[in-house]
Amino acid sequence: MDRKTKHILKGVASGILPGTGQLLNRQYIKAVFFFIFFAMFVFIEISSSHYFSQVNPYDKLTSETGELYSDDFAKNFYNRYLFDKADGKINLPDFETYHDSAMEDDIFSMQELIDYAAIQIIDASTARYFLLIPDLVTDGSGGYKTANDGVVVDTDLIIGVDDDAIAAMTFRSIVQGVSIYEQNNVEYYKVITGDGVTREEFYVNVNNPTDIIYDVTGFTVSTRTSSLYLNPTTDVIYIKSTTSSSVLGTSTYRYTNITDSSDFIDATDTGNTAEINALKSVVVKGTVLYDTSNNVYVRYIPEINYEMVHGYNGTEFTYYLRNYITSRSLPNANTDYDSGYYNRFLLEVYFSVNPDLRDEFESTYYNFFFDKAGFFLKGLWSVVTLGTTEKVTYEYKSLHDPLKSVAFTDDGVTYGAVAGILDESPLLGHVSSYLLIQGLISTLLMAYFIFIWIWSVTDASKTSKKYDLTHERVTDGQWFKDIYTHGFEYIMIFPAVFVITFISIMPILFGFLIAFTSYSGFDSDSGLFTWVGFYNFTRIFSFGEGIPFGETFWRVFVWTVIWAIFSTATVFFGGMFQAIVISSERVPFKKFWRTFLILPWAVPALISQMAFSVIFSDKGVVNAILKNAGLIDLFQKWGIISTEYDTLSGVQQFFYLGQETVQWFTNANNIWFVRIALIVINIWLGAPYFMALMTSIMTSIDKTLYEAADIDGASKGQKFKFITFPLVMYSTAPILVMTFSGNFNNFGVIYFITQGGTGAGDIDSAFAGSTDILISWMYTLTVSKKVYNMASVFSILIFIIVGSVAAWNYSQMRAFKED
């Protein structure tokens, strides 16, 4: 083996297992040093993983959905059934047959009990059309209800089997819950089609859709309720209509045959009292229809695409099981079962009713990288994919009729319903924002381990080469001493760099990467988003597509630049003017004036901004003074205050001040008036700082310069031009650039005085108001509208623009060139 290969192999050995190359170089302590970091890496990865354990997707259910009842629960349920059967309370031979079949393996499991409940529910819940009258049973309180027992008879039309026969029949739905317009015993209801110029209103006969009228003047108006009634003698189904008897009350108007509106019972005629009293209320589970032969049907569908329509039917078994679980779940049952167990039971039954949904759940909510991988592998997967599983909600409200806990009485004991039963079980799925943060943390931490791994590889190879050349082996002690001597500053700064990595660099990276994702919307904080590359950046150059980010960005950007330039110039030169005046020999009490003029800077900016917002409001102090001085009336005569802006033209529109008074911050028609007002008000907040700064600078200027200028016969203007101004600019130029950058991001003045101006938060303006600058627009996008991706794009652009301008200006300043 040649020497070069030997050096390479030692590096490769450390690449495979850090420290191995050092071991081959007989540097044992150094080998342990590198191996410890490798062991730490492996320990973190393994200890944070589930590589050697099973992952159950049901563990991801929310806390409201608890554990599944144990197999002992199913066993105890069957024993209770045998006891009640012996007591003559119940007899379910089909259940006994199923139980005996399941006991072939000597276990009657909870899953088998759940599967049998699902079988019962499915058998009792065939989607079909059935005749209403033969199916009615008494409800125990003098009325009638549909049997809901799932018994299929020959006259039923099974959905999915008898579809041709169903299609051949002409079913009509009964009209209910609407206003009815009646004349000559013929009833109509209103129909509205189209929108805007295509909008059309007409009235359709409730029993004859071909009979359409357009004028119901003089018709009697009533309201059809959803209450149905049966005449037991004639088997006719009636629907109740009411009229308003007062502002809050109603009175019964008539009972109308649902298949023939000319057949009705007039409730206002006292002669019909006996006939009305003979009517029995009817509760229907399903949708009531009738055919051309006036046969009344019910269309019953438990659910469609896992969404409840009418809900599943129960059976004697499901009601018995429901009551047993209720009795075992109440606080006085001396068990640990609660509503969480009950919710899990309902979900499991629902999965057994829909086994394809169970398969989807168990496959979708298991992901190797998310569920089993450790900290570093999961972190890499998180950054690359941002998650793969959407949040979902499994709704089992359709099982409430057969299985939801209700109050019942048994052997004289009344059991209350179990509280806390849900209609659904939500699963959060993967949260991309959390995964990206976690992925960045793990990736940055892994970068440190990779650095040490590379160090181990290069050190093993270099040490081998050095020994080959000098035949002098560097001892472990000498190596550590050299590291300390030559890398002391790095050793000292490393803890700070390590901490900054995770409290500064990581958030910056997160904000930067958001610009390349679809992270937007109110559900995005708890759901998925994806990588979209540079798409968000292209949106600022796309016009007329969706939310107008492109048009709005350039409008806001131009105003931001104007605002930054003029707000900086006005406070700078305003402060300079104040400083020159105070420095004049003619001004007495200089200390007093400096103290007085610095007060606006001493007052917290937020207080001043809020005060200006109130003082200059439409009904504020300033407008009150202008009105009392007669200026408001004068402006109205000039036409620059007018309620009709569109009637103005030319100069009047240019100087338009508001509708009924001066709208300093709410002038939607003349937004430049509001913007100029903001620039002027900002002078109050910023000029005092520059006044104090420049006063200090002017005081420190060498007096001999002015004396020399006086000897040369220079005027005051010349002394200012050639001495004062250049020296002040030399000293304040860097601060001027910083002020420009600060005003570019001056959130407070814009937001606390105008809240962004007219149109702020409107989707038509991409949520930007008339006075919004980029930073305040970003605030609205993130805090109010959750458009994080576009806000991140704008923050990057602000950084590039402001950073470039500042860097270029600094590079051109003599103060920095001479540094």
Side-chain angles (χ1 to χ4, degrees), residues 73-299:
F73 187 92
K75 177 181 177 181
N76 294 335
F77 168 72
Y78 188 73
N79 291 336
R80 178 58 186 263
Y81 161 75
L82 293 179
F83 178 82
D84 286 342
K85 177 185 176 183
D87 206 25
K89 295 181 179 179
I90 193 169
N91 185 23
L92 303 170
D94 290 342
F95 174 52
E96 294 179 35
T97 302
Y98 176 85
H99 173 270
D100 294 341
S101 175
M103 284 297 293
E104 291 180 359
D105 57 358
D106 296 327
I107 296 176
F108 181 54
S109 67
M110 189 64 202
Q111 188 59 54
E112 288 169 327
L113 177 61
I114 288 170
D115 290 341
Y116 184 73
I119 292 171
Q120 287 278 297
I121 290 170
I122 293 171
D123 290 345
S125 305
T126 303
R128 68 193 193 281
Y129 290 75
F130 60 87
L131 290 168
L132 173 61
I133 302 300
D135 190 75
L136 290 176
V137 297
T138 58
D139 62 4
S141 60
Y144 290 87
K145 65 178 182 178
T146 48
N148 304 335
D149 56 8
V151 176
V152 178
V153 299
D154 293 339
T155 57
D156 291 353
L157 299 174
I158 310 301
I159 297 175
V161 176
D162 301 320
D163 289 347
D164 292 339
I166 294 171
M169 300 184 70
T170 303
F171 286 112
R172 298 175 185 167
S173 300
I174 63 172
V175 178
Q176 55 186 332
V178 298
S179 295
I180 296 295
Y181 304 84
E182 174 262 322
Q183 190 176 71
N184 299 326
N185 297 330
V186 180
E187 296 182 332
Y188 296 85
Y189 64 97
K190 181 191 292 186
V191 175
I192 302 175
T193 61
D195 191 16
V197 296
T198 63
R199 177 185 172 90
E200 184 179 11
E201 293 185 7
F202 51 89
Y203 301 85
V204 180
N205 189 321
V206 295
N207 296 131
N208 182 9
T210 63
D211 179 13
I212 298 175
I213 62 175
Y214 293 89
D215 185 11
V216 291
T217 303
F219 282 50
T220 301
V221 182
S222 62
T223 300
R224 266 201 181 189
T225 68
S226 300
S227 302
L228 300 179
Y229 295 86
L230 170 69
N231 185 330
T233 303
T234 61
D235 283 343
V236 173
I237 301 293
Y238 292 91
I239 186 167
K240 184 170 76 171
S241 296
T242 62
T243 56
S244 299
S245 58
S246 65
V247 176
L248 300 176
T250 59
S251 59
T252 303
Y253 173 59
R254 60 163 54 177
Y255 294 85
T256 307
N257 186 333
I258 63 173
T259 64
D260 181 8
S261 60
S262 64
D263 175 18
F264 62 90
I265 304 172
D266 187 352
T268 63
D269 186 349
T270 56
N272 295 326
T273 302
E275 184 178 3
I276 291 173
N277 290 337
L279 297 177
K280 304 297 182 182
S281 65
V282 175
V283 177
V284 178
K285 186 176 183 179
T287 303
V288 180
L289 314 100
Y290 60 95
D291 62 12
T292 53
S293 300
N294 291 339
N295 296 309
V296 181
Y297 280 82
V298 175
R299 179 176 62 220

Side-chain angles (χ1 to χ4, degrees), residues 34-35 54 91 118 124 136 176 178 184 234 273 305 337 348 374 421 458 464 467 502 549 627 687 712 757 796 798 816:
F34 285 114
F35 179 76
Q54 295 296 320
N91 185 23
L136 290 176
Q176 55 186 332
V178 298
N184 299 326
T234 61
T273 302
N305 296 328
Y337 302 133
E348 293 282 356
I421 304 301
T458 57
S464 180
Y467 177 76
F502 299 102
F549 285 110
K627 186 172 182 61
D712 292 338
I796 292 173
I798 289 176
F816 277 77

